Amino acid sequence: MTAHDRPPAVFTIAAGLPFVDLLAAGIRQRCGDDPHVLARATILLPTRRACRALHEAFLRQSAGRALLLPRLRPLGDLDEDELSLMRPLDETLPIGDGFSVPAAISATRRRLLLARLILARPDQTMAPDQASWLAAELAKLLDQAHTERLGFEALAALVPDDFAEHWQITLTFLEILTEHWPKVLAEEGCIDPADRRNRLLDAQADLWRARPPDHPVIAAGSTGSIPATAELLGVVARLPQGMIVLPGFDTSLDAEILKVLEPAHPQYGMAQLLNRIGAVPSDVTDWPAEEVPSVSAARAALIRETMKPAPLTGARSTAEAVTAEALQGVSWITAPAPQEEAGAIALIMRETLETPGKTAALITPDRALARRVAAALKRWRIDVDDSAGRPLAQTPPGAFLRLCIRMIADDLAPVSLLAALKHPLASGGRASAAFRESVRRLERLVLRGPRPAPGIEGLRAALAATKDDAGDILDDLERLYADFTAALAQSNASLRDLVRRHVAFAEALAASDREPGATRLWAGDAGDAAAGVVAELLDAADALGPIDGRDYPALFDSLIAGQAVRPRHSAPSRLFIWGLLEARLQRADVTILGGLNEGTWPPEAAASPWMSRPMLKDFGLPAPERRIGLTAHDFVQSFCAPRVVLSRAERVDGTPTMPARWLLRLQNLIEAAGLKAAVTHPGPWLDWHEALDTPEQVRSIAAPKPKPPLEARPRQLSVSRIETWIRDPYAIHARFILGLKPLDPIDADPGAMDRGILIHGALDAFTRAYPDTLPDDALERLIAIGKDMFAPYAAWPGVRAFWWPRFERMAYWFVDFQRTRLASGYRTLASEVEGEYAFEAPGGTFTLIGRADRIDERPDNALAILDYKTGQAPTPEQVKSGLVPQLPLEAIMIEAGGFADIRAARVSELTYVRLTGGRVPGEVRNIGKDVREIIDGTAAGLKKLVHKFDDPDTPYLSRPRPMLWHRFGDYDHLARVKEWSSGEGDDT
C-alpha cells in the first residue's frame, strides 16, 4: 500500500483536556525510550507560540531532565530553511528544484506601494494617511484571495451591468489589484506573504508525496481553515508515520448533523477538513496517551446540545444533555460595566495565586478588557503574561515619537508642546530635573490662559510680555527641531527624509546630560520594537513617493497603528491573558472567558467593504459567519475546562449589550431543565471589587476654621475682594494669607473675563477720546477701536463668531446711550481710574483700593458712578443688602477724595450698565433714590467687617452664607467643601 492509498491517520484531543501536555505525552509514548527517535520526529503546530507551549510541555514531561526534543515547526511561519530541515535525511534534490520561492514583500512596503497606486488614480482626492488605511484593507483582500487560492481575473464577472453603481465603482477601483499590482510585484521581485506561505506549504506537500519521510510527522492543533494547510494536513495524514491531531473534534457527529452544519458551527471547519482529506468522523479516534484526565461527559453533552444546528434544535430531548453535573465548576459574572468586569476578573486571578502552583487565564478577544484586567492587577504589583503585548503607540517610545510630531504640527500649541516636553523621555540634552523645572516655569509664564501666537516667536513674545525669564529653553528647543520643522514645511517632501529628521529630533529631545538620546529612546522591548518599525519604514519609504510635509503626522500614526510590543523574555507568571488562537492549545486551572457579548465574542459578521455577500460567494471567499464558527470552536474548547467563569458586561461605553448567543442558549437550556439553582454562584467578586475602594468608615469632617495671627491678616483689599470677603472669607485666607493663586487652564479659550476686559478697554478709549461731545461718525470710531482691541483674539473661532457680532450690536446701543446722556448734561470725568481709601482699625490702618469703570459729573454737579457689566448685573436689592458693595465702596472712596484728579464730592447716582450685545444689547440698571442710605450703610458695614477680622479669634470660614453662593469657588477644593457639606442640601 502506497502512502497515497493509506487511510488517513486522524486523532483528536477532546475539548477541556490539556492539549499540549497530552500531545507531548503521546509523542513520547510513540517514540519509546530512544531519545534519537524523538529527536527525529517533526511536529507541525499552528503558531510559534504553540511551539513554545509544546516545548514547555516536554520540559514538564521530563521533570526538568535533559531531553532531545523533536523538531517543532509553525505552519503559519514556515521558511525555506525550515523546509530544508524537514526533508528526509537522504534527500538529494537541491533546494532550488522544489523549494526556491521568491521573498515576501514586507508589510510596510506593500502598504506604501498600494497607497501610492491609490494616490495615483486620477479621481482620488484623499490624503496619504487615508490612502494608507485603504491600502491596509486592500492588503487584507489580497491575503484573503491568496489564502483561498483565488485569482482576481474573475472579479469582472461578479458585477453585471445591472448591479448598483457603487459596485461598478468598486470594481473600477480594484483594478489596482487586477492590473497594476502584479506589475509592481514583478518589478519588486517579491510576492505577497500569503502567496509565499501557500507556495512553501505546497512545496512541502509535494516533497513528502515524492519522498515520504522515514520519521514521525505529526500535525497538531490546526483546523485546516487555510486550504494550503488543509492540503498539507491531508498529505501528513497518509504518510507512513504521519498523523494529524485535531483540537476538540466531536466524534459523535453523524450524517444528520453533517448535512445541516453551517459556517457558524464550531465543528464546521474540521468537518470541511475531513471531507477535503477524504476522511469521515468515524475515522477520528482519541489521541492515545498515558494518564489521560477524565473529561466531564455531562459538560461535553451540554455544550454539544448548546451548539446543535438550528434545524435540529428541539428534535431531541435535552433532559439527558443538561444535568447538574454538567454545571459543576461553571459560574457566571454579569457586571454592570467593563470596569467592574475587569475588577472581578482581576480578583479571581489574584485569588488563584494563593494556591501554590495554581494557574489562571483570561481568554478574550476584547483587548480593552485585557488591558483593564492587567491594570487592575497592578494594584497588587502583579504582572500578567499577556500574549498580545501592548500597542506600540501606547508605549513610552511610541507615544514620544507621536508627540514629537504633534508638537511641531500644532505650531507649538500649549497642550501638544507640554505633552511632548513633559514626557518621561524628554530631557533636551539637560539633566532631567533641570529640564522639567524649565518646562514648568514656561508653563506657568505663558502656556496657561489664552493661547500665545503660533510658533516659537509667539512664545517669545508672550514670554517678553511677562517681563520674566524662562531660561534658554526656547532657544534650545528651536535648535533641536529646526530641521524637522523645515521638512514638514515642504510641499514635496521625501518620506525617508521626514522619518530621518523626525527620528533625529526625537533622539535630540530625548538626550540627557548623561546619556545620548538614542540610548534612552530605543531601550527595552518597546524601544527595540519602535526601532524595528522605524527601520522598516525607512527601508520602504521610497515606495510612496513625495508627499506634503503637513500630511506626515497622520500618515505616521496610520503606519504604526496595529503594531504590538511583546516582551522577548517574559518573567515567570502563573497568570495569563490569551487571545483565542493562543488559548486553543493551552489550559489553566482557572479559565475565565471574558467579554462574552455579541459583537465581541462572537465578533460581528461585518460585511466586506469590497463585495456583497452574493459576490463573496461567487468569488469564492468564505462568508463572514466562518469567523463566528472559529470563535465558537474556541469557546467550546475553553468552556469544557474543569473550572470556568463566564463573564460579560451589561453596558459598554454606556450602551446596553446583548449576551453572546451561546450564553443565551445555555441559559435557555438550563431554565428548561429546571436547573437554574445548580449554576455556581459567581462569588463575592463584584462586591469585593466595589469594597476595594469603599472606606471601612466614612468620617465626617468639620468645615475649616483657620485663625491666622493678626500680623498675617491682609491690611489692603480691593472693592471686588470685599464682596468675596463677605461671601467666602476662606478664599481671602487662601489668596492673601497662604499666598495661593489659582492657575489658569492650559490653552484656555478666552472666557467671560477676557471679553469683559476687551469691552472695558474699548469703552475706556472711546469715552476718554470723547468725554463731552460725540462726533457724527461716533459709531464708526467705536467700531474701529473695538477692532484694535479684538485683534489679538481674532484667531479664536468663538471670538469671530460670537463676541465680535455682539460687540457691534452693543456699540450701536452704547453710542445712542452716550448721546442721550451727554444731551442730558452729563460729562465724563474719568474712565478706568484707580483710587484708594484708608482708615484706622484695631489691627492698624486698613486700605481699600479699587478701579472705577467710569465717573460722570451730573447736571446738578453731584457725581455718578457707572459700572459696565458684560454678564449679569446685580439687582438693587442685592446692593442694598450689602452683599454686592462694589459701587457703594467706590462712592466712599470718591467722597473721601481717594481718586486722583477727581474732586471729592457727593455721589448721588449708582448705575450698572449691562452690555451683552444680545437680543437686548444694553440695559441701564439704576440702584434707586436711596443712594445716601446705601453708601452710609456700606461704610458702616465695611468698618464692622474689618473690626471683626482684626480679632485673632475670628476664623476665615468657607461659605458662611451658602445660600448666597451659586458657583464653584477657586479654593473650594482646598477647603474640602464637598466633604463637610451635607449631601441633602443642608450646607451648615
Side-chain angles (χ1 to χ4, degrees):
M1 180 184 298
T2 64
H4 182 72
D5 297 328
R6 176 177 177 266
V10 186
F11 300 88
T12 185
I13 296 176
L17 294 178
F19 189 96
V20 291
D21 289 287
L22 289 179
L23 180 63
I27 293 172
R28 292 191 67 195
Q29 179 180 328
R30 284 180 174 273
C31 295
D33 296 329
D34 188 349
H36 299 288
V37 176
L38 179 62
R40 295 182 72 236
T42 297
I43 315 299
L44 304 178
L45 295 158
T47 63
R48 293 189 182 276
R49 186 175 183 89
C51 292
R52 291 195 298 271
L54 183 57
H55 179 275
E56 294 167 359
F58 274 114
L59 292 179
R60 289 193 294 270
Q61 290 284 331
S62 66
R65 296 190 305 272
L67 187 68
L68 291 176
L69 294 179
R71 290 174 288 191
L72 309 180
R73 299 290 179 259
L75 282 169
D77 299 298
L78 286 177
D79 57 33
E80 293 181 27
D81 293 336
E82 289 172 336
L83 287 177
S84 65
L85 288 173
M86 289 190 288
R87 288 185 299 159
L89 296 180
D90 59 348
E91 178 62 63
T92 58
L93 292 174
I95 296 294
D97 288 349
F99 293 8
S100 181
V101 180
I105 189 170
S106 75
T108 302
R109 187 167 186 83
R110 178 170 69 163
R111 187 169 180 175
L112 292 177
L113 285 169
L114 287 170
R116 186 172 187 170
L117 292 175
I118 294 170
L119 294 172
R121 290 177 55 84
D123 58 342
Q124 81 80 25
T125 57
M126 63 183 68
D129 64 292
Q130 296 171 317
S132 172
W133 289 113
L134 191 54
E137 293 299 321
L138 283 176
K140 290 180 184 178
L141 181 60
L142 276 170
D143 289 338
Q144 288 176 340
H146 284 305
T147 296
E148 300 299 327
R149 300 181 181 274
L150 302 174
F152 286 101
E153 60 275 0
L155 278 179
L158 296 179
V159 189
D161 293 339
D162 57 348
F163 263 44
E165 183 180 356
H166 164 72
W167 295 117
Q168 297 289 345
I169 295 173
T170 300
L171 179 61
T172 303
F173 182 83
L174 290 178
E175 290 176 356
I176 291 174
L177 302 184
T178 58
E179 297 183 12
H180 304 292
W181 185 241
K183 299 175 183 177
V184 172
L185 284 179
E187 293 174 359
E188 294 286 319
C190 297
I191 58 177
D192 287 304
D195 185 16
R196 187 172 193 274
R197 179 200 59 210
N198 287 349
R199 297 190 192 190
L200 290 171
L201 292 172
D202 290 344
Q204 183 64 72
D206 292 341
L207 176 61
W208 278 343
R209 283 193 192 98
R211 299 290 302 272
D214 60 354
H215 59 267
V217 177
I218 303 172
S222 176
T223 59
S225 57
I226 298 173
T229 302
E231 184 172 346
L232 178 61
L233 293 179
V235 172
V236 170
R238 285 184 165 84
L239 291 176
Q241 298 187 59
M243 59 200 75
I244 61 176
V245 185
L246 300 178
F249 180 73
D250 185 1
T251 56
S252 68
L253 291 180
D254 55 25
E256 183 184 9
I257 295 177
L258 289 175
K259 288 179 182 178
V260 295
L261 275 186
E262 296 178 346
H265 193 275
Q267 298 295 320
Y268 178 84
M270 289 183 289
Q272 293 291 100
L273 172 63
L274 292 180
N275 183 61
R276 182 187 291 268
I277 67 175
V280 294
S282 59
D283 294 333
V284 182
T285 58
D286 290 331
W287 175 251
E290 296 179 353
E291 299 181 2
V292 178
S294 61
V295 180
S296 172
R299 181 82 62 80
L302 172 61
I303 196 62
R304 188 181 302 120
E305 190 70 24
T306 300
M307 295 296 180
K308 183 184 293 183
L312 302 180
T313 302
R316 301 175 183 175
S317 172
T318 62
E320 296 181 359
V322 184
T323 64
E325 181 186 354
L327 300 174
Q328 289 179 4
V330 179
S331 58
W332 266 267
I333 290 180
T334 302
Q339 189 66 33
E340 288 80 2
E341 181 185 10
I345 292 172
L347 282 167
I348 295 173
M349 300 179 82
R350 171 68 181 84
E351 188 266 347
T352 303
L353 295 180
E354 296 297 320
T355 304
K358 199 172 183 181
T359 60
L362 166 64
I363 303 172
T364 181
D366 187 348
R367 290 304 307 157
L369 176 63
R371 287 193 291 270
R372 281 192 173 101
V373 171
L377 287 168
K378 291 291 185 183
R379 175 193 288 264
W380 302 288
R381 296 179 176 85
I382 296 174
D383 291 325
V384 61
D385 184 354
D386 189 349
S387 64
R390 293 177 60 195
L392 175 61
Q394 296 179 13
T395 63
F400 186 65
L401 288 170
R402 297 175 65 208
L403 291 173
C404 286
I405 307 176
R406 183 50 53 195
M407 177 183 79
I408 307 303
D410 289 347
D411 233 349
L412 306 186
V415 172
S416 299
L417 179 63
L418 286 175
L421 298 186
K422 286 191 172 185
H423 191 280
L425 285 174
S427 281
R430 308 182 185 185
S432 295
F435 182 78
R436 297 280 182 277
E437 178 56 34
S438 295
V439 172
R440 285 192 288 266
R441 185 168 180 80
L442 182 68
E443 174 189 346
R444 291 193 299 270
L445 292 175
V446 300
L447 299 179
R448 287 188 172 271
R451 178 185 297 190
I456 199 76
E457 294 305 324
L459 292 177
R460 286 197 175 104
L463 187 59
T466 66
K467 299 180 180 179
D468 210 325
D469 181 24
D472 54 357
I473 187 172
L474 294 181
D475 296 335
D476 289 349
L477 189 61
E478 184 179 27
R479 175 178 52 81
L480 294 178
Y481 73 63
D483 288 345
F484 186 37
T485 302
L488 290 175
Q490 297 176 16
S491 59
N492 198 33
S494 159
L495 178 57
R496 178 176 281 111
D497 185 52
L498 285 166
V499 175
R500 283 175 175 167
R501 297 194 191 193
H502 173 201
V503 170
F505 169 50
E507 289 181 346
L509 187 58
S512 70
D513 60 334
R514 296 184 177 183
E515 291 182 294
T519 301
R520 302 184 73 223
L521 181 58
W522 312 118
D525 290 334
D528 186 58
V533 170
V534 169
E536 186 175 346
L537 182 54
L538 283 170
D539 184 60
D542 64 319
L544 183 62
I547 63 170
D548 190 321
R550 293 172 296 179
D551 293 326
Y552 176 69
L555 176 62
F556 183 82
D557 281 351
S558 74
L559 292 173
I560 70 168
Q563 302 283 353
V565 177
R566 296 177 177 86
R568 288 168 293 184
H569 305 289
S570 300
S573 176
R574 291 191 282 132
L575 303 182
F576 308 93
I577 297 177
W578 293 329
L580 303 188
L581 184 60
E582 290 81 10
R584 185 174 296 171
L585 306 184
Q586 303 183 84
R587 197 187 75 170
D589 296 308
V590 179
T591 303
I592 306 163
L593 311 186
L596 284 168
N597 286 322
E598 283 292 315
T600 302
W601 189 0
E604 181 181 0
S608 167
W610 307 110
M611 304 180 196
S612 64
R613 284 178 177 268
M615 291 169 63
L616 286 173
K617 182 178 179 181
D618 293 343
F619 186 54
L621 290 176
E625 286 76 14
R626 179 71 183 93
R627 188 180 173 202
I628 295 179
L630 294 174
T631 59
H633 175 259
D634 296 324
F635 175 79
V636 171
Q637 286 286 99
S638 301
F639 178 76
C640 290
R643 183 188 172 191
V644 61
V645 180
L646 309 176
S647 170
R648 62 174 292 265
E650 293 179 316
R651 285 178 175 269
V652 176
D653 296 331
T655 303
T657 59
M658 176 68 69
R661 61 193 69 185
W662 312 309
L663 287 187
L664 290 176
R665 176 75 174 137
L666 273 171
Q667 291 169 352
N668 292 337
L669 288 172
I670 292 169
E671 290 181 7
L675 293 173
K676 192 172 182 180
V679 177
T680 305
H681 189 273
W685 311 114
L686 289 173
D687 293 337
W688 283 2
H689 169 71
E690 182 180 0
L692 279 174
D693 296 314
T694 302
E696 294 182 2
Q697 179 183 6
V698 178
R699 293 179 297 174
S700 60
I701 65 169
K705 297 179 180 180
K707 298 178 182 179
L710 180 60
E711 58 270 18
R713 302 190 178 207
R715 307 310 303 166
Q716 174 180 293
L717 289 174
S718 67
V719 293
S720 60
R721 298 292 185 182
I722 297 298
E723 179 179 346
T724 304
W725 203 6
I726 294 171
R727 293 176 179 265
D728 188 13
Y730 187 86
I732 299 299
H733 170 263
R735 176 67 183 89
F736 296 98
I737 298 175
L738 300 181
L740 302 177
K741 183 179 179 182
L743 290 174
D744 293 326
I746 296 173
D747 198 7
D749 285 332
M753 180 179 294
D754 301 285
R755 178 169 172 261
I757 291 172
L758 292 177
I759 293 176
H760 278 66
L763 298 183
D764 174 42
F766 182 74
T767 53
R768 284 177 184 271
Y770 311 106
D772 302 312
T773 59
L774 294 183
D776 294 337
D777 60 346
L779 177 61
E780 289 76 10
R781 298 195 182 196
L782 178 54
I783 295 292
I785 292 172
K787 286 182 178 178
D788 291 339
M789 290 289 176
F790 276 75
Y793 294 83
W796 277 270
V799 172
R800 296 193 304 271
F802 299 103
W803 288 14
W804 180 249
R806 284 175 174 265
F807 178 82
E808 289 183 311
R809 289 194 292 271
M810 181 275 297
Y812 279 98
W813 181 89
F814 184 80
V815 168
D816 289 340
F817 163 77
Q818 188 71 352
R819 286 189 190 279
T820 302
R821 194 168 179 84
L822 293 177
S824 302
Y826 284 84
R827 184 171 67 93
T828 301
L829 297 179
S831 176
E832 298 295 333
V833 60
E834 295 182 352
E836 65 177 41
Y837 165 61
F839 60 91
E840 293 302 318
T845 302
F846 186 88
T847 303
L848 177 70
I849 61 174
R851 176 193 294 265
D853 288 350
R854 177 171 163 183
I855 302 173
D856 283 2
E857 185 178 58
R858 290 168 48 89
D860 60 359
N861 290 328
L863 300 183
I865 304 176
L866 280 71
D867 191 63
Y868 301 132
K869 289 293 184 185
T870 53
Q872 188 64 41
T875 64
E877 289 73 19
Q878 289 175 319
V879 177
K880 293 174 184 177
S881 69
L883 293 174
V884 187
Q886 180 177 345
L887 288 186
L889 290 174
E890 291 176 3
I892 295 170
M893 295 166 64
I894 290 175
E895 292 182 347
F899 287 92
D901 301 327
I902 301 294
R903 61 185 175 86
R906 179 175 58 88
V907 175
S908 61
E909 180 181 327
L910 303 176
T911 300
Y912 287 102
V913 181
R914 187 165 179 254
L915 304 166
T916 65
R919 181 175 299 176
V920 179
E923 177 187 5
V924 177
R925 182 174 292 178
N926 200 288
I927 296 304
K929 297 181 179 180
D930 48 354
V931 173
R932 186 75 264 146
E933 180 182 345
I934 293 174
I935 295 174
D936 293 342
T938 300
L942 172 63
K943 292 182 179 180
K944 182 179 178 182
L945 182 66
V946 173
H947 278 242
K948 176 182 176 182
F949 279 92
D950 276 354
D951 181 355
D953 291 330
T954 300
Y956 285 79
L957 299 177
S958 175
R959 296 192 174 196
R961 299 178 177 86
M963 71 291 296
L964 304 175
W965 194 260
H966 303 294
R967 64 182 178 85
F968 184 79
D970 290 330
Y971 303 97
D972 283 1
H973 65 294
L974 185 65
R976 299 167 69 175
V977 169
K978 291 186 177 181
E979 294 186 49
W980 51 260
S981 59
S982 170
E984 287 90 20
D986 180 8
D987 292 308
T988 59

